[in-house]
Structure formats: C-alpha cells, structure tokens
Amino acid sequence: MRKPLVPLPNEAGWSHEPLAEVCTLISRGRAPSYVSSSPIKAIGQRCITATDFDPSVARPHSQRAMSGALVAKADDVLLNSTGTGTIGRSSVFPGMEGFVVDGHVTVLRPRRETTEGRWLNAVLRTPWGQTFLETECYSGSTNQVELSRTRLANAMVPLPPLPEQRQIAEVLDTVDEAVRRTEQIIAKLKQVKHGLLHDLLTQGIDDNGELRDPDRHPEQFKDSPLGRIPKGWEVLPLGELSNVVRGSTPRPAKDPRYFGGTHTPWITVGELSRDDWPYLTSTATRLTELGARFSRHLHAGTVVLSNSGYGCGVPKILQLSGCANDGIAAFLDLSDGVVPLFLYYFLFSQILNLRTRVARGVDQPNLNTDLLRAFRIPMPPRAEQEAVSNVLFGIAERERREETEASKLRLLKSGLMEDLLTGRVRVTPLLEEAAE
C-alpha cells in the first residue's frame, strides 16, 4: 500500500517513518453507554477543542460497559474523526484517571522510546498536517465525513530525535501557557465588565468615587419608571436628549455608481456588530462621491445604533465621518448634559431589551425611530456620567491590550511551529547547552 508523506517541509533531513511505527496504537474508541452518573467519563468530540483538552464536557459512562472500552492514557493524542467542522481537531490527553474514548475519536498512542505525544499533536495541528488529513484521510461528504484509520497509519512523518521532539514541545508549550494565561485575564475582565456595567448604570458612583449601596444606604435612592435609581438622577426619553434620525441608502442598493468607491466611509449594521469596543474607527466599504450625495452624513463623535436585522440594538461611537445606511439610527445634537460614552454604555446594556421591542416586518426585524425616541434612560449629572464611563472604558482598554497580546502570542506560536517542526531552526544548540 502507498505510504503518503505528510507534506511537512523537512529542512533538517530527518528520517521519515510511518505513524504505524511511531505509535503503538492507532484506534477509534467504542460507542459509549451513557448513564446519569458515573466516575467513568467518555471522551467525545466536544472534549477536543481548538486549543486544548476539555474534560468538563465528557459524559458519564457506565461502569458495567467497560468490556472492550478504549481507556485513555497520558500522552495519548486524541484526534476527532467524524463530522464537518470538528474532524481533524486534536489534543493531548493529560493523563487523568477514569476516561474512555468514544467512537468519534481516534487515539494515537506514541511509542515512548521514539515519539513525544505533544510533538505529534503539534504536527497534526500544522497547516501541512491538516491538509494531509483532508486530502488523504477523509472520506464521505457533508456531515458524514469520516477519518480512515488505515490511511492515517500509513502516513509518513519526518521524525526528529526524541530529545529534540521534547525540546520543541517545551518551547511550544511555553507559548501555549502564555496564551492561556492571557485568555484567562480576558475572560475575567469580560466578567468584571459585565457585572460593573449593571451596577454602575443603576447605582452610580458617589462623591467618594465608590459604588453606591442600595441595601446599606436606601436613603440615597428613589423610585422611578426604571426602578430604584440614585437621587439626583433623572429619567428622560432619548427624544428629549437628541435628534433621533435614520440613515439612508442610495437606490438602487447595488448600483455600482454609488458603491465600492474610495470617497466616503460607508457605515452599515455589519460594521457595528464586529466587536464590543465602543468606537468605530474604520469601515470595509466606501461610497463613490455620487453615492455619498444620496446618503446621510454623520460626523465623528456621533452615537449610532443598528436598528435593523438580527444584529439590531448594537451601539457605537463614530471616530470617523461617513455615511450611514438605513439600518443605522443616529443620535444627533446631543444635549450638553449627555456624555456620549455614557450613552453608549447604557445602550450597550440594553441590547437584549431593545431586541424584544423590534417590529417584525416582511423582510427583517427593525427598531423604528419613534420607539427609540420614546426609549427612556437614566441620566446622572454629567460629572457622574464621566466617572462611570471612565471606569468601564478603563476595563475595555485593558481587555483590548490583552487581546492584542494574545494575538501576538498566537502569531509567535505559528512562526515557531513553522520554524521548529520543519527543522528550519534547530533546538539542538539548546540541547547541547543543557548537556553541558
């Protein structure tokens, strides 16, 4: 039988070996017998994420159905083997007790004297490894795609010496750990921001810079149409605080005379839905000069809101001047007492509430401007609005810095994988230095 090469560049000249030789086992698991509770857990496709192994989603497996079960062992490489979108994902099993593998996952058990599981997993995750699996090992179509164990076993891989494999794995693990720590920080910041968003917009910040406490100091609060709010706050409809208008789209909507130019940024619902950063700094599309004549112009600093489509309710503050289509509502001529960033955060907190009020027309849901004009918001004094906004924006800035760092680390790992797994850059000097 033909033994195809995994197309991983081999700049170090390592010998090629079939996976059947570098592994003592290449086998799918068995169909599990699920129960409501058991110390035995079945590893399914959901356990093998895009980044790691997740034991929390393994399901209880009957202790009475262990005959023939494939028990996972430390350093096993787990490879998803069925289904479009999940097939080809892999991770290393960390060696916990009481886990068996279900029939949708293939186990590659490295031969300990020649192969490091973390290195093999990294090879499978490279673009070359994924391309090989797709072109050589998959069969079927649509959601019935299956991985062929026989073809996988015959795959030829360039095999570095075991100490070098381990050193490569250590380098990549170090970057992975930095990515994980950064992602944990991002998740914690999102959680903190979500909690503070509600508290700050309902309790505010007192003169000492602290969050008001409605339980300890009920005298600082009053009843309002929006519930209990701090004394000194007002409740006003958006129509009294701004001129609520709708964008406009040149017609016909796909006329090349209007769209695809380089003249004026074109602000659409899709632009607003990209992330939860308060500011819109660029657009993917521009209008021609002619198209801009038939659309509503908005200045930098304007608060806008998507008012149509299934992403309706998402706000932004423009950091550019441009034209908005008719899926965008804009809050023009804000009164002097309104801080744009505070208005953004309040609208952001109300996305789900606004979506429950959409009018469902023939084409798609939409928020009409009359509804937005009547929508009431709490209004603290301007100084307090600025204090609340500064706290929330400070967290958003930290979150964005961490997301940038995570992106840099992922890019670093991609470069390291390409250098180390191909032998373009050798870790041999590191090994020699350690031996000395």
Side-chain angles (χ1 to χ4, degrees):
M1 178 177 286
R2 181 176 70 94
K3 295 186 183 298
L5 287 174
V6 175
L8 185 70
N10 186 6
E11 300 190 26
W14 295 314
S15 64
H16 283 84
E17 302 291 341
L19 284 179
E21 293 297 323
V22 302
C23 296
T24 61
L25 173 73
I26 300 178
S27 177
R28 282 219 202 165
R30 300 290 183 88
S33 177
Y34 293 124
V35 293
S36 59
S37 178
S38 172
I40 307 297
K41 299 294 190 297
I43 296 170
Q45 291 172 298
R46 292 172 57 208
C47 297
I48 303 165
T49 72
T51 57
D52 212 342
F53 176 75
D54 181 4
S56 68
V57 292
R59 297 172 61 185
H61 172 78
S62 173
Q63 289 180 280
R64 297 181 178 180
M66 290 298 291
S67 177
L70 178 52
V71 178
K73 294 184 178 181
D75 210 33
D76 281 352
V77 177
L78 308 172
L79 177 63
N80 278 351
S81 303
T82 63
T84 302
T86 58
I87 192 170
R89 286 201 309 238
S90 66
S91 64
V92 178
F93 182 66
M96 296 172 284
E97 293 291 331
F99 281 83
V100 297
V101 181
D102 81 8
H104 298 287
V105 175
T106 295
V107 172
L108 295 90
R109 185 161 293 160
R111 192 177 298 278
R112 292 186 178 276
E113 59 268 26
T114 63
T115 314
E116 166 68 40
R118 293 174 299 165
W119 167 83
L120 178 56
N121 181 57
V123 169
L124 292 174
R125 282 176 170 264
T126 63
W128 300 289
Q130 290 294 299
T131 297
F132 177 84
L133 292 174
E134 184 174 351
T135 57
E136 295 285 345
C137 298
Y138 297 166
S139 60
S141 59
T142 318
N143 288 325
Q144 303 302 316
V145 179
E146 299 277 345
L147 181 140
S148 167
R149 188 202 69 83
T150 303
R151 295 177 196 169
L152 181 66
N154 283 302
M156 301 288 286
V157 294
L159 190 69
L162 183 58
E164 193 162 357
Q165 292 178 42
R166 287 174 175 161
Q167 190 67 54
I168 290 171
E170 289 295 333
V171 172
L172 298 178
D173 278 354
T174 299
V175 182
D176 275 339
E177 181 57 30
V179 172
R180 274 193 291 270
R181 287 197 302 267
T182 306
E183 289 175 341
Q184 288 169 356
I185 292 171
I186 294 169
K188 184 65 178 291
L189 287 169
K190 287 183 181 296
Q191 186 178 28
V192 169
K193 182 175 68 176
H194 179 76
L196 277 177
L197 185 66
H198 174 268
D199 291 344
L200 287 170
L201 293 174
T202 57
Q203 300 170 27
I205 297 175
D206 64 21
D207 293 338
N208 297 319
E210 296 180 354
L211 193 67
R212 292 188 184 88
D213 188 335
D215 295 323
R216 295 179 59 192
H217 297 288
E219 74 281 357
Q220 296 179 0
F221 292 80
K222 67 180 181 181
D223 292 325
S224 81
L226 300 180
R228 299 282 288 173
I229 62 172
K231 291 180 178 178
W233 289 26
E234 296 182 89
V235 174
L236 297 171
L238 282 169
E240 288 187 20
L241 301 170
S242 65
N243 178 22
V244 184
V245 299
R246 192 166 186 161
S248 56
T249 300
R251 304 295 182 189
K254 295 184 179 181
D255 194 319
R257 294 176 301 166
Y258 303 143
F259 300 93
T262 59
H263 187 267
T264 304
W266 179 230
I267 303 161
T268 65
V269 171
E271 304 286 357
L272 271 61
S273 303
R274 285 183 297 183
D275 53 40
D276 59 0
W277 180 247
Y279 296 102
L280 181 67
T281 58
S282 64
T283 63
T285 306
R286 287 177 175 255
L287 296 176
T288 62
E289 184 174 2
L290 178 62
R293 295 179 191 172
F294 296 97
S295 184
R296 183 179 293 278
H297 286 255
L298 300 176
H299 297 294
T302 302
V303 180
V304 296
L305 179 85
S306 57
N307 64 7
S308 67
Y310 292 93
C312 66
V314 177
K316 288 285 183 190
I317 302 174
L318 301 183
Q319 279 195 322
L320 49 76
S321 295
C323 291
N325 74 0
D326 51 12
I328 302 294
F331 303 94
L332 305 180
D333 307 319
L334 286 181
S335 67
D336 292 339
V338 181
V339 174
L341 191 55
F342 180 85
L343 176 57
Y344 162 81
Y345 279 119
F346 177 77
L347 292 172
F348 184 82
S349 75
Q350 297 296 307
I351 290 175
L352 294 180
N353 187 9
L354 285 166
R355 286 177 181 173
T356 63
R357 304 181 182 209
V358 297
R360 299 190 178 274
V362 175
D363 296 324
Q364 58 186 354
N366 67 85
L367 290 162
N368 63 56
T369 50
D370 287 339
L371 183 151
L372 290 173
R373 291 187 187 102
F375 196 74
R376 292 176 295 190
I377 76 169
M379 290 301 300
R382 186 178 178 90
E384 190 171 351
Q385 291 180 49
E386 290 174 345
V388 166
S389 301
N390 289 340
V391 171
L392 293 170
F393 186 66
I395 298 172
E397 281 190 308
R398 171 77 190 283
E399 183 183 331
R400 196 169 214 200
R401 288 196 300 270
E402 296 295 343
E403 287 172 343
T404 300
E405 180 64 19
S407 295
K408 289 179 179 177
L409 288 167
R410 293 187 193 103
L411 188 61
L412 171 63
K413 182 184 176 183
S414 178
L416 285 171
M417 289 176 73
E418 185 171 334
D419 287 340
L420 299 179
L421 294 171
T422 63
R424 181 182 304 156
V425 175
R426 301 294 297 278
V427 294
T428 307
L430 296 175
L431 295 171
E432 293 171 349
E433 183 179 320
E436 294 174 2

